[in-house]
Amino acid sequence: MPDGRKLVVQCQRYAKHRTVGSPDLQKSNGTARSEHGADIPLFVTSCKFTKQARAFAARHALVLVDVDLLGFWNSGTALSTLLDLDIGRTGTNRKLAPGD
């Protein structure tokens, strides 16, 4: 990242009807942080995340980009802008806090 933080990205292409759950994020988080030294682990998918996955991401400071945000990113929205958005679609565009 421009500010010196290390971004590690995992991308998964799944069918739109599938969801990404907490176990997928647990594996990604462990690899991104311990193996690659990520300051910002980013998980990108072509589908949606479960509520449990979003809660895990909030507790462990993971950044999630689902199919909707992926469309914005693909259309030219800067990744730095997406890092602060809530993929839970709460309507507030804020990151989920632990316990949300």
Side-chain angles (χ1 to χ4, degrees), residues 30-63:
T31 302
R33 292 193 195 273
S34 65
E35 285 295 315
H36 302 291
D39 296 310
I40 305 171
L42 172 63
F43 196 105
V44 181
T45 188
S46 57
C47 59
K48 300 283 187 176
F49 294 96
T50 64
K51 182 178 180 180
Q52 294 82 6
R54 292 191 317 270
F56 178 86
R59 288 192 307 274
H60 296 276
L62 298 171
V63 177

Side-chain angles (χ1 to χ4, degrees), residues 5-54:
R5 294 177 295 167
K6 185 174 186 179
L7 175 73
V8 174
V9 181
Q10 177 166 344
C11 300
Q12 295 293 327
R13 184 175 183 217
Y14 296 125
K16 286 192 177 196
H17 69 275
R18 188 178 186 277
T19 56
V20 175
S22 180
D24 296 313
L25 296 185
Q26 291 172 24
K27 291 176 197 169
S28 178
N29 185 45
T31 302
R33 292 193 195 273
S34 65
E35 285 295 315
H36 302 291
D39 296 310
I40 305 171
L42 172 63
F43 196 105
V44 181
T45 188
S46 57
C47 59
K48 300 283 187 176
F49 294 96
T50 64
K51 182 178 180 180
Q52 294 82 6
R54 292 191 317 270

Side-chain angles (χ1 to χ4, degrees), residues 53-74:
R54 292 191 317 270
F56 178 86
R59 288 192 307 274
H60 296 276
L62 298 171
V63 177
L64 306 180
V65 174
D66 68 0
V67 65
D68 296 331
L69 289 182
L70 185 57
F72 285 109
W73 192 11
N74 187 52

